[in-house]
Amino acid sequence: MTIIDRILCRPCIFCAIADGSTPTTLVYKDDEIAAFNDINPAAETHILIVPVNHVKSVKTMTTDDIPLLEKMHQKGIDLLKERGHDPEQSRLGFHVPPFNTVDHLHLHVVGGAMKSNFRKLKYETGRMWYMDLTQLQATLDKKRRLQEGARL
Ligand code: 5GP
Ligand code: ZN
């Protein structure tokens, strides 16, 4: 949620979905994470996995968050397999600010036929706007090393 959202008392839509206070159906929920179908799917399967507690984006994460990120990723793989998709052929990733539109961390879980070439590009890992778990872990490790270096 942005400062503007807070000032205007605008609730975070993904917080509301994750706590079950909207009509959106959750395809998975536990104490830490929730999953639901994207309202505007980019492919045959397009699920969003979010932390239940508000986390803004990949930019606010640290290496301490890696277990949560791994859990989100593993749940994405499980949901893809349940729907008959090969996770290796799927697109799991995070849009990197400013290329995101919702300021509540969400893992896109995109499997099956893509709806357009533009969507293929939008969810293509290795691009500066779309990061997979491996890239995110490397970025967080680098950030920690830089912070440790700055403290010396
Ligand atoms: P981003 O652009 O931030 O990476 O992705 C945000 C995603 O959230 C988009 O794919 C968009 O379709 C989805 N989205 C936005 N608002 C809602 C909503 O109210 N419900 C659901 N289910 N998905 C949403
Ligand atoms: Zn939120």
Side-chain angles (χ1 to χ4, degrees), residues 120-139:
K120 277 189 191 165
L121 195 59
K122 187 174 175 188
Y123 297 93
E124 192 167 274
T125 53
R127 301 284 184 175
M128 64 184 285
W129 54 83
Y130 195 61
M131 221 181 223
D132 66 12
L133 179 64
T134 306
Q135 290 170 286
L136 179 52
Q137 281 174 327
T139 302

Side-chain angles (χ1 to χ4, degrees), residues 60-152:
T60 56
M61 313 247 35
T62 70
T63 48
D64 291 345
D65 300 309
I66 287 177
L68 173 67
L69 293 166
E70 286 174 338
K71 178 174 174 173
M72 291 165 67
H73 188 261
Q74 185 56 52
K75 181 48 68 180
I77 287 174
D78 294 346
L79 292 170
L80 283 166
K81 285 184 181 165
E82 280 172 21
R83 285 156 181 74
H85 301 300
D86 176 358
E88 295 294 320
Q89 301 300 320
S90 301
R91 299 157 187 261
L92 293 96
F94 304 88
H95 281 128
V96 181
F99 301 102
N100 63 325
T101 55
V102 177
D103 274 336
H104 179 133
L105 181 78
H106 46 284
L107 172 67
H108 289 274
V109 178
V110 179
M114 299 297 291
K115 303 237 169 176
S116 71
N117 284 335
F118 171 71
R119 299 295 192 91
K120 277 189 191 165
L121 195 59
K122 187 174 175 188
Y123 297 93
E124 192 167 274
T125 53
R127 301 284 184 175
M128 64 184 285
W129 54 83
Y130 195 61
M131 221 181 223
D132 66 12
L133 179 64
T134 306
Q135 290 170 286
L136 179 52
Q137 281 174 327
T139 302
L140 296 178
D141 282 339
K142 190 174 166 191
K143 187 162 110 180
R144 191 193 58 199
R145 284 198 303 276
L146 285 171
Q147 282 167 349
E148 283 171 357
R151 277 199 293 271
L152 291 177

Side-chain angles (χ1 to χ4, degrees), residues 13-14 17 24 36-41 46 48 95 99-103 106 108 122-123:
I13 183 63
F14 286 179
I17 291 173
T24 302
F36 50 92
N37 290 316
D38 194 292
I39 201 167
N40 182 17
H46 188 170
L48 301 174
H95 281 128
F99 301 102
N100 63 325
T101 55
V102 177
D103 274 336
H106 46 284
H108 289 274
K122 187 174 175 188
Y123 297 93

Side-chain angles (χ1 to χ4, degrees), residues 21-34:
S21 59
T22 76
T24 302
T25 302
L26 298 177
V27 298
Y28 179 78
K29 168 99 192 264
D30 65 24
D31 289 346
E32 290 182 305
I33 62 172

